[in-house]
């Protein structure tokens, strides 16, 4: 049985490149949609997930990826940019008493070229679009404490 660690979070505005919603984005389809085929070939099927991320601030706390379920190295998902490393770990998002299955989406900062996140921002991909969720809304994020360490 999975043990979860719960942490309170607030939906924060992100760079909007994961979903492709950013103005002047070099990724009009969004990074998640563009990356999905690469992850699928390596055994992680994201097709059932919403192709964007929730940026969840857990401030004043932060997190560290310790033992993720999936780690993919040197993924060349865009021909004009260097390859990146990514890790994923199952999680749950509880909003308005409804639980949504998700994955912590962690592009390793040491391999990224831009769009960095603050240490208190956890990027999460969820199983479906969450109706009525807005910036500033409070929720609960549950993570596997062996995979994602909240400090």
């Amino acid at each position: 049985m999975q043990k979860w660690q719960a942490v309170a979070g607030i939906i924060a505005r992100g760079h909007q490149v994961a979903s492709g919603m950013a103005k002047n984005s070099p990724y009009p389809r969004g990074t998640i949609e563009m990356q999905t085929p690469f992850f699928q070939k390596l055994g992680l099927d994201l097709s059932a997930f919403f192709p964007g991320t929730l940026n969840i601030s857990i401030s004043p706390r932060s997190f560290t990826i310790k033992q993720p379920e999936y780690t993919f190295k040197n993924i060349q998902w865009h021909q004009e940019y260097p390859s990146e490393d990514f890790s994923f770990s199952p999680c749950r998002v509880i909003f308005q008493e409804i639980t949504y299955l998700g994955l912590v989406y962690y592009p390793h900062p040491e391999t990224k070229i831009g769009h960095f996140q603050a240490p208190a921002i956890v990027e999460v991909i969820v199983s479906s679009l969450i109706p009525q969720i807005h910036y500033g809304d409070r929720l609960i994020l549950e993570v596997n404490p062996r995979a994602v360490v909240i400090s």
Side-chain angles (χ1 to χ4, degrees), residues 8-145:
I10 297 173
I11 296 297
R13 182 179 292 275
H15 302 289
Q16 297 183 317
V17 295
S19 64
M21 304 286 289
K23 293 178 183 175
N24 303 319
S25 173
Y27 320 107
R29 292 184 0 234
T31 60
I32 301 299
E33 186 177 322
M34 293 173 71
Q35 294 164 359
T36 293
F38 296 93
F39 300 138
Q40 189 164 15
K41 286 180 186 175
L42 295 169
L44 177 60
D45 185 1
L46 298 179
S47 62
F49 290 83
F50 179 77
T53 60
L54 291 175
N55 291 276
I56 302 172
S57 173
I58 59 170
S59 182
R61 303 181 82 178
S62 61
F63 74 101
T64 305
I65 298 293
K66 185 175 177 186
Q67 293 180 337
E69 186 163 328
Y70 298 94
T71 296
F72 304 118
K73 296 194 176 280
N74 297 312
I75 304 300
Q76 183 72 47
W77 62 272
H78 193 287
Q79 63 191 16
E80 296 179 25
Y81 300 108
S83 60
E84 294 182 62
D85 298 347
F86 297 87
S87 291
F88 296 86
S89 180
C91 67
R92 299 191 306 193
V93 172
I94 303 168
F95 178 67
Q96 295 182 342
E97 300 181 19
I98 299 172
T99 300
Y100 299 87
L101 300 179
L103 292 168
V104 171
Y105 166 79
Y106 186 74
H108 291 239
E110 65 274 14
T111 63
K112 284 185 72 163
I113 61 165
H115 304 109
F116 296 101
Q117 299 291 355
I121 297 289
V122 183
E123 283 189 274
V124 173
I125 300 170
V126 290
S127 54
S128 63
L129 184 63
I130 300 176
Q132 304 301 316
I133 198 163
H134 302 291
Y135 299 127
D137 283 348
R138 296 183 180 280
L139 52 73
I140 300 295
L141 173 65
E142 294 183 329
V143 298
N144 174 347

Side-chain angles (χ1 to χ4, degrees), residues 1-5 64-69 89-90 143-150:
M1 179 151 183
Q2 174 68 56
K3 293 197 176 217
W4 300 99
Q5 178 182 1
T64 305
I65 298 293
K66 185 175 177 186
Q67 293 180 337
E69 186 163 328
S89 180
V143 298
N144 174 347
R146 288 183 291 198
V148 179
V149 177
I150 306 292

